[in-house]
Amino acid sequence: MSSDYPLTLVFRVLAGVAAAAIWTELVGCARRLAPPHLQGRAIAVTLAGIPLALSLGIPLGTFLGGLIGWRPTFALVTLAALVLMGWIAVAVPDAPGQRPGNGQPVLKALRLPGVAAVLLVTAAYVPAHTILYTYITPFLDARGLGDSREGVLLVFGIASMAAVFVTGALVDRRLRALTITATVLFMTASAVLITSAGSSLAVYGATALWGLGWGGVATLLQTAVTDAGGDRGQALFVTVCNSSIAGGGAIGGVLLGNFGPASFPWTGLALLTVALAVVITARAHAFPTGRTPSPSAPTGG
C-alpha cells in the first residue's frame, strides 16, 4: 500500500529480517520433529521450497505483475502468508522451546569444532551462486542468448529440485560425499561456462550441472553446521548465508561494471575452489566421513 519509496525500503528490510528469522526457526523445528536418523532428510524436505521459490516464484511473480499489476501481486503474497499462518497454527505440532536464562551467546558457537569451517564454505559457495544467478540476464545477453533466459531458469529449477530429492534421500548417510560432489558439479558448470562461448547447448548443460550442485547445498551445509553447533550454529549459518547473498549481489555489480559478465564464472570457480579445499580438509568435525546425528547437539541462543 506504500506510495513512498523510503518507506517501501524500510519494510523491505523488515521483510528480510523476518525471512532470516523464519529460516532459522524452520530448520530447528524440522530437526526437533524428526528422529535423529532422519533429521537431515527432514531439513531437506523443509528447505525444498528454497530452490522451488527461486526457480518458479520469481518468474511467476513477474508474470503476475505483468498480468494484474504489482500491487495485486503483493496482495496475493499477503493472502498466501495469512493462509500459511493458519495452516501452521492448525497442523504443525509444537516443540519445546528454551527455558529463560538458559541461552548462550551465539558467537561462542564459533569455538565449537567444525562450525567455522562450514561457515567458510557457505561464505564462498553462496556468493559463487548469487553472482551468476542475480546477473544471469546480462550474462546470457553477452552470449547472444538473451531470449533463452526463461528456458535456462527452468532447467536450473528442474535440476535443483532433482538435487533436493537426492540430497534428502542420502544426506543422513553421505553428507561429506554429497557436499564434495555438489561443489565439483558447480565447478564443472563454471568451467563449461568459461569455455562455452555462445553455444546454447553448452550453456544449458552447464546450467543443469549448476542446478544439481546448488539445489541440495542448503540442506548439506545446514545439516553440517547444526551437527557441529546446534541451534547456535544454525543461527550463525543463516547470518552468514544472508550476508553472502547480499555480498554476492554487490560483488556481481562491481564485476559487471568493471570486467563484464564474462568474469562471473571465473569468480565462481575461484570461490568454489576455496570451498572444495575446506570441505576436503575439514573431515574431522565439519564434514566427517561417517556422520552420526546426535539429538543432543549443542543448543542455545
Side-chain angles (χ1 to χ4, degrees):
M1 294 182 288
S2 171
S3 59
D4 182 72
Y5 188 69
L7 179 62
T8 302
L9 287 183
V10 168
F11 278 92
R12 171 67 169 163
V13 171
L14 292 176
V17 172
I22 292 170
W23 189 350
T24 303
E25 292 301 321
L26 283 175
V27 174
C29 184
R31 283 179 64 90
R32 288 181 177 90
L33 294 177
H37 68 286
L38 292 177
Q39 288 178 350
R41 187 175 301 180
I43 293 174
V45 172
T46 302
L47 296 182
I50 293 178
L52 186 64
L54 288 175
S55 57
L56 300 180
I58 294 175
L60 178 60
T62 303
F63 171 76
L64 290 175
L67 185 66
I68 62 177
W70 65 269
R71 290 183 185 274
T73 300
F74 274 102
L76 289 175
V77 172
T78 303
L79 178 61
L82 291 173
V83 171
L84 186 59
M85 288 170 61
W87 187 13
I88 292 171
V90 172
V92 178
D94 202 358
Q98 186 176 170
R99 293 181 180 276
N102 288 351
Q104 302 177 38
V106 172
L107 289 179
K108 282 190 175 181
L110 288 171
R111 303 176 187 175
L112 298 173
V115 171
V118 179
L119 296 180
L120 181 56
V121 173
T122 304
Y125 205 111
V126 174
H129 162 77
T130 304
I131 291 170
L132 186 58
Y133 190 85
T134 303
Y135 298 96
I136 189 65
T137 295
F139 179 81
L140 293 175
D141 287 343
R143 302 296 177 93
L145 300 171
D147 294 337
S148 302
R149 181 182 59 183
E150 287 76 13
V152 167
L153 290 177
L154 178 61
V155 169
F156 174 81
I158 293 173
S160 294
M161 291 309 299
V164 168
F165 288 118
V166 172
T167 302
L170 299 176
V171 63
D172 290 300
R173 292 174 286 119
R174 298 288 186 268
L175 174 65
R176 178 177 175 82
L178 287 172
T179 307
I180 293 174
T181 300
T183 309
V184 170
L185 286 172
F186 197 174
M187 292 177 70
T188 304
S190 299
V192 172
L193 290 175
I194 290 171
T195 59
S196 64
S199 170
S200 59
L201 182 61
V203 169
Y204 276 106
T207 300
L209 293 176
W210 171 23
L212 290 172
W214 169 255
V217 77
T219 297
L220 295 170
L221 295 179
Q222 291 191 252
T223 301
V225 80
T226 317
D227 281 350
D231 289 345
R232 289 180 293 158
Q234 166 65 18
L236 286 173
F237 171 83
V238 173
T239 300
V240 171
C241 188
N242 281 281
S243 300
S244 299
I245 291 172
I251 293 170
V254 172
L255 291 173
L256 181 62
N258 291 276
F259 305 103
S263 63
F264 298 160
W266 283 104
T267 304
L269 189 59
L271 290 169
L272 292 166
T273 300
V274 173
L276 181 62
V278 174
V279 174
I280 290 175
T281 56
R283 62 185 310 142
H285 300 287
F287 302 97
T289 303
R291 173 178 178 259
T292 305
S294 173
S296 57
T299 59

